[in-house]
């Protein structure tokens, strides 16, 4: 049997809303052509993000009911702590309300002016928290990560030559720790190999620099290692995850990804002095150390989710369903980033709409069109998000991407088939898609709230 089926059946359903093209034209106009400003009820299939959008299992809902809401010493905390200690091997487990809260606390403790934090690629909240502390965030992805047409097994890897050069230039004393993001979200959800993790640790050991893992998608990464690194073929994913964490001194995690819950996160680490400082900050900003920013029931749901996510039937379905979507598009000639990563399919808007220059936002143009055509919401990761204008001169992003992030356990194969048809139809009509100009933008993180206006087809700003 070749078909890989969803490894679950559905006990509770949530209707989605069908709209007409006319309705969507009005809705997107009223949202100023910014998909973040749409009402979610006006979206048919929501690929905006895989964060906090997972469907929980019946066992997780049962765990929610069983949550212990005691202010201190809650039973739910001890279950949460036990599961994460077993998974990661770290000594101190500190719950937070999201991944970014863990980052904020960690970089408040270790960051500061003049410090440098290397990472294969910082996720945007990680970068923001590093920079807010006064430190510099440096991305060191391998070169192949920037080539959307080139297939490679581990495009998420850290460039070790660049890491060593950075350490020599900056001085060990100015690098409080090094990060490794698994999978590497910002370059397309691409995995990091075990050999890269091991060699990163060995290099850091030479300079006595701790390694931290941004573990949001650790299980997807572990499964890719099993699939693509021959010596791990016969190892269990749990075992692979253990080994990944064994090379690190701590981690931050957004439970909204691979813990299969809608809210939550944690900081985990071995250094007791650091943990004590982190807990003091936690009490000020998140809550008492046995609940962080969470309800007891959330801690229980996370503990259960972290157990379920290592189920290899789940991971096989998860990775394959993203790949299936990417394959369908690739076969139809749609330019996608290859190979597909763990949590999303990325369209290459630069190749999709070659006539729209970066200053007219090809990624935005494409994501608006996917909504108009089929009610699909995606997110632009290109010059709207990263481009800027300095002294009247426009600087575009390195890549013009549109991300279709797949929520965990939410959509079935027919939803994906439909979405692929929509993308292919938009590709067929690609010569009649307008570029955009920005009519309003806030001073920071403009992609969330900017307003746009369509240009005439073939028009320029
Ligand atoms: C989502 C994410 C974060 C931040 O987590 P939040 O829970 O959204 O605060 C950090 N790093 C990576 C790689 C992420 O994908």
């Amino acid at each position: 049997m070749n078909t890989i089926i969803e490894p679950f059946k559905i006990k509770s359903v949530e209707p989605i809303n069908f709209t007409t093209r006319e309705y969507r034209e009005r809705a997107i106009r009223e949202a100023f052509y910014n998909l973040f400003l749409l009402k979610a009820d006006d979206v048919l299939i929501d690929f905006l993000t895989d964060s906090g959008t997972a469907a929980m299992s019946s066992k997780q809902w049962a765990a929610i009911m069983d949550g212990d809401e005691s202010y201190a010493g809650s039973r739910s905390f001890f279950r949460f702590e036990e599961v994460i200690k077993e998974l990661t091997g770290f000594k101190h487990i500190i719950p937070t309300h999201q991944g970014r809260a863990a980052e904020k606390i960690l970089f408040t403790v270790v960051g500061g002016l003049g410090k440098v934090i290397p990472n294969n690629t910082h996720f945007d909240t990680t970068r923001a928290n590093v920079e807010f502390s006064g430190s510099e965030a440096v991305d060191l992805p391998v070169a192949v990560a920037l080539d959307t047409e080139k297939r490679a097994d581990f495009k998420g890897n850290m460039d070790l030559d660049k890491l060593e050069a950075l350490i020599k230039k900056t001085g060990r004393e100015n690098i409080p720790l090094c990060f490794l993001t698994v999978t590497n979200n910002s370059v397309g959800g691409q995995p990091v190999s075990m050999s890269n993790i091991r060699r990163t640790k060995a290099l850091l050991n030479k300079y006595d620099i701790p390694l931290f893992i941004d573990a949001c998608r650790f299980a997807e990464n572990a499964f890719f290692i099993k699939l693509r690194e021959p010596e791990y073929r016969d190892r269990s994913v749990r075992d692979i995850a253990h080994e990944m964490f064994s090379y690190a001194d701590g981690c931050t995690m957004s439970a909204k990804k691979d813990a299969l819950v809608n809210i939550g996160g944690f900081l985990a680490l071995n250094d007791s002095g650091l943990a004590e400082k982190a807990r003091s900050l936690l009490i000020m900003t998140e809550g008492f150390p046995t609940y962080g920013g969470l309800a007891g029931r959330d801690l229980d749901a996370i503990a259960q989710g972290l157990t379920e996510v290592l189920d290899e039937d789940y991971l096989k379905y998860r990775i394959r369903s993203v790949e299936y979507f990417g394959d369908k598009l690739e076969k139809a000639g749609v330019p996608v980033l290859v190979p597909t990563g763990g949590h999303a399919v990325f369209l290459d808007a630069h190749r999709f709409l070659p006539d729209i220059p970066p200053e007219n936002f090809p990624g935005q143009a494409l994501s608006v069109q996917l909504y108009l055509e089929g009610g699909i919401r995606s997110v632009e990761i290109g010059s709207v998000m990263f481009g800027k204008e300095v002294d009247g001169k426009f600087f575009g992003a390195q890549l013009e991407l549109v991300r279709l992030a797949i929520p965990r356990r939410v959509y079935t194969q027919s939803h994906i088939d439909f979405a692929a048809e929509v993308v292919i139809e938009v590709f067929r009509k690609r010569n009649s898609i307008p570029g955009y100009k920005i009519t309003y933008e806030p001073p920071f993180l403009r992609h969330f709230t900017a307003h746009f206006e369509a240009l005439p087809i073939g028009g320029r700003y």
Side-chain angles (χ1 to χ4, degrees):
M1 245 62 76
N2 286 328
T3 305
I4 294 172
I5 62 170
E6 286 82 2
F8 49 79
K9 55 185 179 174
I10 296 167
K11 178 172 277 186
S12 176
V13 297
E14 183 182 358
I16 51 179
N17 293 330
F18 292 90
T19 52
T20 62
R21 171 124 194 167
E22 291 67 41
Y23 183 93
R24 292 193 293 276
E25 277 170 6
R26 180 155 40 87
I28 193 74
R29 187 174 350 106
E30 286 172 1
F32 303 98
Y33 299 95
N34 184 335
L35 291 112
F36 282 103
L37 302 180
L38 284 173
K39 292 194 180 98
D41 275 351
D42 291 340
V43 173
L44 183 65
I45 298 186
D46 206 343
F47 291 148
L48 183 69
T49 177
D50 66 319
S51 177
T53 51
M56 291 207 294
S57 67
S58 51
K59 286 210 172 122
Q60 283 178 294
W61 283 109
I64 289 257
M65 219 36 236
D66 197 41
D68 173 7
E69 304 306 336
S70 304
Y71 189 93
S74 144
R75 172 179 74 235
S76 299
F77 172 74
F78 292 112
R79 183 160 177 237
F80 170 89
E81 187 188 43
E82 188 187 322
V83 167
I84 299 171
K85 275 192 174 167
E86 196 284 322
L87 171 67
T88 64
F90 299 130
K91 275 201 218 115
H92 303 280
I93 312 298
I94 300 173
T96 58
H97 79 278
Q98 286 195 211
R100 68 195 69 183
E103 293 166 354
K104 168 78 179 153
I105 288 170
L106 179 63
F107 294 117
T108 303
V109 177
V110 305
L113 219 59
K115 305 263 173 65
V116 173
I117 310 289
N119 197 327
N120 46 350
T121 313
H122 288 82
F123 179 67
D124 55 8
T125 61
T126 323
R127 169 173 289 276
N129 277 303
V130 168
E131 290 174 352
F132 188 78
S133 82
S135 304
E136 189 189 344
V138 179
D139 292 339
L140 304 169
V142 287
V144 68
L146 289 176
D147 184 345
T148 63
E149 295 178 72
K150 176 125 195 202
R151 264 172 208 285
D153 284 343
F154 293 103
K155 288 170 92 173
N157 281 355
M158 171 85 83
D159 187 322
L160 293 164
D161 293 334
K162 287 197 192 133
L163 177 59
E164 182 146 40
L166 179 81
I167 297 170
K168 284 187 174 146
K169 188 181 93 186
T170 311
R172 180 268 154 259
E173 64 287 0
N174 296 316
I175 304 181
L177 49 83
C178 172
F179 250 85
L180 205 47
T181 304
V182 304
T183 56
N184 191 340
N185 184 356
S186 309
V187 304
Q190 300 292 318
V192 179
S193 71
M194 190 74 86
S195 122
N196 190 254
I197 301 175
R198 194 184 306 122
R199 284 184 299 129
T200 302
K201 178 61 178 170
L203 174 61
L204 294 171
N205 270 350
K206 231 168 85 181
Y207 296 94
D208 199 20
I209 297 170
L211 173 65
F212 272 60
I213 291 182
D214 179 338
C216 295
R217 299 179 181 80
F218 76 93
E220 291 171 6
N221 198 89
F223 193 68
F224 276 118
I225 289 175
K226 183 176 172 112
L227 288 180
R228 296 182 183 174
E229 231 169 328
E231 52 182 300
Y232 291 92
R233 197 181 312 147
D234 299 323
R235 298 267 296 274
S236 73
V237 171
R238 177 178 290 279
D239 211 29
I240 294 172
H242 282 155
E243 185 176 335
M244 285 163 56
F245 285 114
S246 76
Y247 299 120
D249 303 280
C251 75
T252 55
M253 172 150 179
S254 169
K256 300 172 73 171
K257 317 319 183 351
D258 268 354
L260 300 171
V261 294
N262 308 117
I263 195 72
F266 59 86
L267 169 64
L269 67 178
N270 282 333
D271 184 319
S272 300
L274 220 65
E276 194 184 324
K277 286 185 195 155
R279 286 201 181 99
S280 305
L281 279 173
L282 185 82
I283 290 179
M284 257 194 305
T285 57
E286 291 281 295
F288 188 73
T290 60
Y291 71 84
L294 296 168
R297 54 179 168 269
D298 297 326
L299 299 170
D300 257 297
I302 292 170
Q304 179 61 29
L306 286 173
T307 309
E308 290 175 13
V309 78
L310 291 169
D311 173 1
E312 300 193 12
D313 288 327
Y314 160 74
L315 285 166
K316 185 171 166 192
Y317 140 79
R318 169 73 178 160
I319 299 305
R320 175 59 196 149
S321 56
V322 174
E323 182 190 50
Y324 170 83
F325 190 8
D327 282 354
K328 277 204 142 188
L329 299 179
E330 219 190 328
K331 280 202 189 92
V334 176
V336 292
L337 185 157
V338 294
T340 47
H343 68 291
V345 168
F346 290 73
L347 306 177
D348 186 336
H350 170 68
R351 285 189 281 136
F352 199 115
L353 298 171
D355 294 336
I356 300 180
E359 56 270 34
N360 295 142
F361 309 117
Q364 189 67 21
L366 177 51
S367 61
V368 168
Q369 215 61 31
L370 295 173
Y371 177 69
L372 286 173
E373 189 68 39
I376 290 174
R377 178 154 68 173
S378 53
V379 66
E380 191 260 17
I381 301 185
S383 286
V384 175
M385 204 177 265
F386 300 118
K388 39 176 168 272
E389 215 159 297
V390 184
D391 301 329
K393 190 165 158 35
F394 179 84
F395 292 90
Q398 266 179 321
L399 294 172
E400 301 289 345
L401 301 175
V402 169
R403 185 183 76 180
L404 301 154
I406 316 296
R408 293 172 180 77
R409 306 192 292 207
V410 170
Y411 294 115
T412 62
Q413 183 172 343
S414 55
H415 291 111
I416 298 292
D417 286 337
F418 172 83
E421 284 173 25
V422 172
V423 177
I424 292 164
E425 184 60 17
V426 168
F427 186 59
R428 209 176 56 76
K429 297 179 184 162
R430 63 190 178 280
N431 291 329
S432 55
I433 297 174
Y436 284 79
K437 67 175 182 180
I438 291 182
T439 55
Y440 156 79
E441 64 179 295
F444 301 106
L445 296 171
R446 67 180 178 182
H447 53 283
F448 289 123
T449 52
H451 295 177
F452 300 87
E453 199 177 282
L455 298 163
I457 308 280
R460 295 284 180 271
Y461 179 37

